[in-house]
Amino acid sequence: MREIIITIQELKRKRRAVLLAHNYQLDDVQAVADYVGDSFYLSKVAADVKSDVIVFCGVRFMAETAKLLAPDKEVLLPERDAGCPLAEMITAEDVRRLKSEHPGTPVMCYVNSSVEVKAESNVCCTSANAVKIAASLPGKKLIFVPDGNLGHYVASRVMEKEFILWPGHCYTHAKIKPDDVLTVREKYREAKVLIHPECDPEVARLADFTGSTSQIMHYAEKSSAPAFIIGTEVGVLYQLSAKQPDKKFYLLHPGLICPNMKKTRLESVLAALKDNKHSITVEQAVAAKARYTLDRMLELA
Ligand code: 13P
Ligand code: SF4
């Protein structure tokens, strides 16, 4: 293990590479990364960081987002098949159909989407900034894709707008049912319940706080509560427990594991740096339009 880490560090220096890791990555991958955070933070890092190579320890749409924002850098996704099923629940053709059914209505796409879907949209968002961006858009109507749960959550916060939602969802977050929240609340009465907005709206309604992975971590850091029930992927517990050993953290559901996020191991990171695996490319025909939606997000967030 120590040897792999030393070799990764050497290769990083040699290739002028930085390692970006999402909060859901395995503990040892997070530990070796230069930047760890939620999708929004990592997008900003990708856009600004000075390096030749970005190794993105996450899932494909995150690496593609980094490539769109940093087209001159080599962006590597260590595990080729690390995808996001939610991002695959809508196609560009679906978005074109929605636009023709609701002419003139802007389309806001969750960053968990393909480059082609981004290119058909007017603005992108992450869970950290979706409410702010939706509220800042002109008009009374908004098409939101592909996550119906996040869309419901945003609609509950931006009441002045009518939302047209797409029925996409994350299998991992959808495992949590309202009864699970009631049961853990009963068991750990002193604990605050922190929920990711990809959860069912009925689950989010029962939360003390709803936010992105980093916002959940920030809330737990600032709060004086002694315990927290975490309603998002297990990866966030690594930093939470490491930084706050005096507080207790409980996972809301034992199935909160994203199989795609867990594909990346230290061995994958090493192979990525050594053999340039797997270089991300984006279709030139859609890159400029998709980039526009991300730039707009960065402006409005
Ligand atoms: P965050 O942007 O909150 O980190 O979430 C990304 C994600 O895929 C959640 O499932
Ligand atoms: Fe996609 Fe869900 Fe995994 Fe997030 S947790 S990357 S939304 S499958």
Side-chain angles (χ1 to χ4, degrees), residues 134-194:
S136 72
L137 294 175
K140 291 254 164 275
K141 241 167 109 172
L142 190 56
I143 298 170
F144 188 92
V145 299
D147 188 351
N149 288 341
L150 177 61
H152 267 288
Y153 171 71
V154 177
S156 74
R157 298 296 170 109
V158 186
M159 308 268 280
E160 66 278 14
K161 278 191 204 293
E162 181 193 341
F163 281 75
I164 292 116
L165 302 179
W166 186 255
H169 61 275
C170 162
Y171 296 121
T172 303
H173 287 85
K175 289 179 185 167
I176 308 174
K177 303 293 173 217
D179 272 355
D180 298 321
V181 182
L182 300 176
T183 308
V184 285
R185 265 209 193 279
E186 190 60 33
K187 193 164 168 194
Y188 306 109
R189 287 166 182 260
E190 74 290 9
K192 296 273 185 206
V193 176
L194 315 183

Side-chain angles (χ1 to χ4, degrees), residues 42 45 74 77 82 103 110 116 130 167 180 185 188 193 202 218:
L42 295 176
V45 171
E74 176 79 279
L77 179 67
Y110 190 25
E116 291 75 15
D180 298 321
R185 265 209 193 279
Y188 306 109
V193 176
E202 285 307 302
H218 186 71

Side-chain angles (χ1 to χ4, degrees), residues 231-243:
T232 191
E233 213 264 358
V234 63
V236 302
L237 291 186
Y238 166 62
Q239 288 180 64
L240 282 173
S241 323
K243 285 189 193 152

Side-chain angles (χ1 to χ4, degrees), residues 56-61 63-64 76-84 88 260 263-265 268-269 271-272 275-281:
F56 210 117
C57 304
V59 290
R60 180 164 289 271
F61 77 80
E64 285 172 350
L76 303 175
L77 179 67
E79 286 293 328
R80 191 205 305 267
D81 298 332
C84 169
E88 286 154 27
N260 284 288
K263 283 180 179 160
T264 309
R265 291 153 297 113
S268 339
V269 178
D275 305 325
N276 215 46
K277 290 201 301 201
H278 297 274
S279 181
I280 295 289
T281 52

